[in-house]
Amino acid sequence: MVNSEPVNEWFIDGWQLGDTPRQLTLSDCEQLEQGCWYHCQRDAAGLKQWLSRVGVPSSLVSALLADDTRPRFEPLGEDTFLLIVRGINLNKGNNPDDMLSIRFLYFKGCLISTRKYPSRAIAEARRQCEEGNSPPSLLAMLVTIIDKLNRNIETFLDPIEEDIEYYAEHQDEADSQSLANLNKRLLKIRRFLTPQRYALDDLLQSEIAGLDALRMPLLNCRDLVVRINESINFYIDQIQVINQHLGQVQSEKVNRNTYLISMISIIFLPISFLTGLLGVNIGGMPGVDSSTAFWLFCIALLAVTVFEIILFRRMKFI
């Protein structure tokens, strides 16, 4: 799990990429330098002022700092674009289904990224830089982070797939509430992954300089999102099939119990009629003065019951 890290300022980390990656400090952020990646805390004080100071247009500043955004790609002129993607929130105490948002602004030959919660994909990319194994360019770094985000989503879905496969093979053991929770989680993830696919499609179709060399890994990222979306749709369909089976089993149980109650009612209907008739407190009732009348009446009721049961069995009602 990614641990939450305290951030006192808007600047989290920065790197100048190349043959020998160089880590940036806050003093290196007075102006934007080509080939540099600036990773920032979206909700920290001072970030908006810094973005304006280094020349980022106000409309882009709003997009980088907005609270709730869907994945999208926006070309903003020659070699400038905004890309917003989503990833699984693996931070302790957070719901993974509430996917975290990473925003990228490719602007004046540099890459600015913002986040609200720590991302494992970003942490792995920063670790690569620390180890001297960073991608050679900013666009390559962007594609690397996107790939890591998607693979973390795929890994997160593995236990969900196992649960659904188990329920599919043991449908009678499935629990409606558990299935409903799984379905809700999948729907929340699909809500963002579908537009994420379209954002990557738009990025692939753009004419950003230097992107042609990365078209194949970017295609792989897009295909992975497509595959994840297809898997999620399949899981949701499987859950619906299991729920239909559970509903059918429950309906059959209710129908069986209702039928049983109906048969019992039919069997005891003539008995109830006879007992009700003989229970009328008026003169002239047969057997009132006979000491054996009660037992004869009970034998008659038992005979009627046996006769009805035999009759219903032959008619295959029971």
Side-chain angles (χ1 to χ4, degrees):
M1 302 292 286
V2 179
N3 294 322
S4 299
E5 50 184 276
V7 178
N8 298 319
E9 297 180 352
W10 55 267
F11 181 68
I12 300 174
D13 198 4
W15 289 87
Q16 185 176 44
L17 303 185
D19 295 336
T20 305
R22 179 178 71 88
Q23 188 171 18
L24 305 178
T25 63
L26 188 59
S27 60
D28 295 318
C29 301
E30 292 302 320
Q31 60 182 8
L32 298 179
E33 298 182 21
Q34 290 191 356
C36 290
W37 170 34
Y38 304 89
H39 187 49
C40 309
Q41 180 69 20
R42 191 170 78 243
D43 56 351
L47 177 58
K48 184 175 182 179
Q49 291 77 4
W50 175 76
L51 290 171
S52 300
R53 190 167 64 249
V54 296
V56 178
S58 59
S59 59
L60 297 183
V61 172
S62 299
L64 284 172
L65 304 183
D67 287 333
D68 189 17
T69 55
R70 290 167 62 84
R72 73 178 191 270
F73 170 80
E74 290 186 13
L76 303 167
E78 185 177 359
D79 295 339
T80 301
F81 64 83
L82 173 69
L83 177 67
I84 300 175
V85 293
R86 290 273 183 161
I88 290 294
N89 191 345
L90 298 175
N91 295 286
K92 186 177 181 180
N94 292 103
N95 189 348
D97 312 335
D98 298 330
M99 303 180 73
L100 53 82
S101 175
I102 306 293
R103 294 95 186 270
F104 297 97
L105 176 63
Y106 190 68
F107 180 71
K108 292 185 178 180
C110 67
L111 182 66
I112 302 173
S113 61
T114 65
R115 54 85 153 161
K116 185 174 182 179
Y117 301 104
S119 165
R120 177 179 292 181
I122 296 289
E124 291 174 353
R126 292 168 60 188
R127 191 178 304 115
Q128 283 185 254
C129 293
E130 293 171 356
E131 296 172 351
N133 299 321
S134 67
S137 67
L138 294 178
L139 290 177
M141 172 62 76
L142 175 63
V143 175
T144 298
I145 294 174
I146 294 172
D147 179 66
K148 293 180 182 298
L149 286 169
N150 293 337
R151 294 194 181 279
N152 287 340
I153 297 173
E154 185 180 38
T155 301
F156 173 75
L157 290 174
D158 286 341
I160 295 180
E161 178 183 8
E162 293 175 1
D163 290 341
I164 294 175
E165 288 180 351
Y166 177 82
Y167 287 139
E169 295 176 0
H170 306 83
Q171 295 186 357
D172 294 334
E173 299 179 17
D175 175 44
S176 298
Q177 187 59 48
S178 299
L179 291 173
N181 291 336
L182 286 176
N183 193 63
K184 181 179 179 181
R185 298 174 74 180
L186 291 171
L187 289 174
K188 290 174 69 176
I189 296 173
R190 187 177 67 175
R191 172 192 174 195
F192 294 112
L193 282 189
T194 300
Q196 188 146 309
R197 169 192 173 180
Y198 298 141
L200 295 181
D201 281 336
D202 293 339
L203 178 59
L204 277 166
Q205 295 171 8
S206 65
E207 298 180 356
I208 304 298
L211 199 60
D212 288 340
L214 300 168
R215 194 159 298 276
M216 184 56 65
L218 191 55
L219 274 171
N220 293 335
C221 291
R222 193 277 311 273
D223 291 343
L224 180 56
V225 172
V226 172
R227 188 165 68 251
I228 293 174
N229 268 295
E230 291 175 348
S231 297
I232 290 177
N233 290 333
F234 177 69
Y235 300 155
I236 292 174
D237 289 341
Q238 277 191 308
I239 290 175
Q240 291 177 351
V241 170
I242 298 171
N243 277 327
Q244 289 175 358
H245 172 76
L246 292 178
Q248 183 178 357
V249 170
Q250 185 67 23
S251 178
E252 291 176 354
K253 185 182 297 184
V254 171
N255 291 337
R256 186 168 59 251
N257 293 339
T258 303
Y259 183 78
L260 179 60
I261 293 173
S262 300
M263 288 295 100
I264 294 174
S265 300
I266 292 174
I267 290 173
F268 283 95
L269 181 62
I271 298 176
S272 300
F273 171 75
L274 293 175
T275 55
L277 177 63
L278 294 180
V280 177
N281 192 19
I282 57 176
M285 295 303 297
V288 173
D289 299 326
S290 175
S291 60
T292 60
F294 173 75
W295 300 109
L296 292 174
F297 180 67
C298 289
I299 293 172
L301 292 181
L302 180 60
V304 170
T305 302
V306 173
F307 171 77
E308 286 184 304
I309 293 175
I310 294 174
L311 177 63
F312 288 152
R313 280 190 176 277
R314 288 191 176 184
M315 298 177 67
K316 296 183 179 181
F317 286 164
I318 57 176

